[in-house]
Amino acid sequence: MDPYRLPRTVVPSRYDIRLEPDLTTLTFRGEESIAIQVAEPVSEIVLNAVELIVDEAVVVDAQGHEQRAAVTLDEAAERCRLAVAAPLATGTGRLRLAFRGTLNDKLRGFYRSVYKDPSGVPRTMAATQFEATDARRAFPCWDEPAFKAVFSVTLAIDPTLTAVSNTRVASETREGARKIVRFADSIVMSTYLVAIVVGELEQTEPTLVGPTPVRIWCVPGKRRLAAFGQEIAVASLKFFEDYYGLPYPGDKLDLLAIPDFAAGAMENLGAITFRETALLVDERAASHAELQRVADVVAHENAHMWFGDLVTMSWWNGIWLNEAFATFMEMLAVDAWKPEWQRWVAFGVSRAAALSVDGLHSTRPIEFPVRAPREADAMFDVLTYEKGASVLRMLEQYLGPDVFRVGVHEYLVRHRFANADTGDLWAALGRASQQPIPAVMDGWIFAPGYPLVSVGVEGRELVLRQQRFTYLAEPLRWFGAASATPAPPARWQVPVQVRIAAGGREMVERVLLTEPETRRSLPAGFESLVANEGGHGFYRVRYDDGLLERLLGRLPGLGAIERFNLVNDAWAVSVAGLMPQARYLELTARFRDERDKNVWSILIASFHTLNRLVTPADRPKLEALVRDRAAGALAALGWTPRAGEDELTRQLRGDLIRALGTLGNDQAVQARAAELYAGHERGAAPVDPNVLPALIAVLGHAGDEGRYHEFFERFRTAKTPQEEQRYLYALTAFPQPALVEQTLARTINGDIRTQDAPFVVRSLLMAVHSREIAWEFVKKQWDTMDRLYPKHGLRRMAEGVIGLATPSLEADVHRFFHERRIDLGGKTLEQYLEQLRVAVALREREGAALSAYLARY
Ligand SMILES: [Zn+2]
């Protein structure tokens, strides 16, 4: 028997749960009555529970025989065993439990969130976060996604408070000093989707989408920040009903902003919970990037109402399908809502992040067998979300969007209110497309890595070759290199679209590259070509020198995503040692006239990486190179928006100012930033919301102690979640060692919420000015952070070690993790260490050549 799966001799079909949270004592009591199906005459029932005290358990079997059960809690296995004297009759029975627990501060299970009300008084609310396996911390249950059941929730609360759960309120009554809120029955769903929020809450006026009221909830004083979130919630709900061809499965849709929240958001059916920055925003004061984040997360969670909630993975190995699909759908919905945002071009940034991790030897397949649920913890990463969404996009484009959609509809209809797996989706898409989907997709899903497609012209022929792309020739050797990666396939089935310019015309050729090499004859009058036309493919392209030069001469003829990929692939190929760094830096000089914010983001990201590698003596020269590349673009855009200018251009202006004022250490930009910021603060000359966050970042970078305290106060008293984030991260930009120390201290003394602290430390580890101080702090405070931060906090924070890109720091990082026997889940640590190795190896290999190249600046 599998020790990680509950026996199926007794299974639930319905839970009637009553919970009574007490926000003063930070405890709760609960009772539940569970309808069960007894398949065999067993005398033991096994279900999940942890950190709960079960006071009473009574079982009534199908023959009406009632027995008190002896309760044994196995905390390590997170199980509760109920033993009865006489075997249970088979058929429908009932299990009644009474239990108690605490409202913890670890942001999981049933937890408390503490925030200040508008007058500065601390307030407490209670919320739940159950995925993956924390419903068992709130009530004993069969806490596996395949045990779907109906949930009927009743809450007994302080009458001054408000309660929200997955469904509409069915009745509200009084019982002594308590308000009794009973919610309608849920659809048949998994335990991890149950949600309960209790506190002083404000709601917006509902908008009806068909019969479904859509509302935003938040703590008092923040309702004015809800309009934008509600707008995209409504738009995406309509979009998905139409796309999926199925009505929304719940009876209402509430979106709730929780002041303390570990993840970004959680797709509880009908009661989606968010961290505040992902839902609440002042539309007039926010940058494009801040608005896009809200739109993305809201659309993503709404997409899950069908994909994940209505149809659910059978077990945790299927997490990828949930998350990849929701990420893919989020793009479709936001793209349909605001086509001017060019969401699929911006998705290039996400795809690039996935290509980076998947280029490591220590990557993993998107889907792999999972036994213990905690093995799935490390699945919530860039490979699941971004690689997963990328390969779905590639498949959608390959099959055609209409065929893809038909397959998705069929999959949802066939498996609704039940569970399904990857194979079921492939089968549905196969029926819709009449194509052998597993043959095309298995290499992308069940094998690690992806191909580098080399493109060359030999004589009159186009030659395409594929090989696995890796940054390092050999896997990293380190103490914990334990888990063997499944052997990659010799090759992938790569849908390559090539756009060929010949004789003054352009044509697109579709090639399914299944062999190591394939050849096509080129048309007469051949001029140039773009492989990965449209940019949807999850692979890298390496052009031969002649083709690359032709493309660089025709940049305006390329789409933004194609230019993005050109830079991104060239950078990766040079990091992997297949192109000299100097050649890459020469290439960046061809993009001075670039006006797409995403292309700039990849250029700037590569300069950031180099900044962590160059010697202190070379750093001013790298700064000069950054100014050389970016100053012209900012000068052309100007510092203030022009009439009719689009949102993306405004965002680019902010990004260029930030890059020049920090990475480029441009003193004129810093002075101008100070001037504009002062004018804005006085109310004399308001600054564009896309520029303001950049000014704050630049002023942090160039700031002194006085500015630090000013920014800390602004962080503490911020009026929107976005403003709070801007000032918080600006604190990490101050280079003075004493201020770095202060910021670090604030990550464990309560000044910075534990939901944010890991990310702040990660920033400090990544930045040249603070990385050594931050690393010393992390080593010293690891156990404290482990105690304070939410689950996954340390994993997210430790990503910052990638920034410790000197040979001596790298050695120290290895020593620390080795001595402390630290495991960050899955292959996470191995991946961080390999990324660090890639950076240090680049420095060792190219240091002298880089230095020689930079000497001209
Ligand atoms: Zn999701």
Side-chain angles (χ1 to χ4, degrees), residues 265 267 300-301 304 322-323 326-327 385:
E267 67 265 26
H300 177 105
E301 302 309 322
H304 273 309
N322 257 12
E323 295 305 344
T327 304
Y385 287 75

Side-chain angles (χ1 to χ4, degrees), residues 521-602:
S521 55
L522 285 166
F526 170 73
E527 290 153 18
S528 74
L529 63 84
V530 184
N532 198 4
E533 187 266 344
H536 309 296
F538 191 77
Y539 53 86
R540 295 193 191 279
V541 176
R542 181 189 180 197
Y543 295 99
D544 71 19
D545 287 346
L547 283 174
L548 180 59
E549 205 42 52
R550 283 167 195 245
L551 274 179
L552 288 170
R554 306 166 66 109
L555 285 177
L558 271 57
I561 187 66
E562 293 166 347
R563 299 196 303 278
F564 178 94
N565 285 343
L566 188 66
V567 176
N568 188 45
D569 291 346
W571 166 244
V573 160
S574 73
V575 173
L578 301 172
M579 177 199 278
Q581 271 296 303
R583 176 86 182 91
Y584 170 75
L585 288 174
E586 272 305 294
L587 178 144
T588 65
R590 311 287 279 271
F591 286 82
R592 289 192 186 99
D593 294 329
E594 179 61 52
R595 294 295 179 268
D596 182 84
K597 77 168 179 70
N598 301 299
V599 180
W600 271 109
S601 80
I602 201 74

Side-chain angles (χ1 to χ4, degrees), residues 233-255:
V234 166
S236 59
L237 193 65
K238 286 179 185 160
F239 177 86
F240 293 132
E241 287 197 325
D242 181 51
Y243 183 93
Y244 292 132
L246 282 172
Y248 168 67
D251 66 0
K252 54 93 180 171
L253 180 59
D254 288 322
L255 300 92

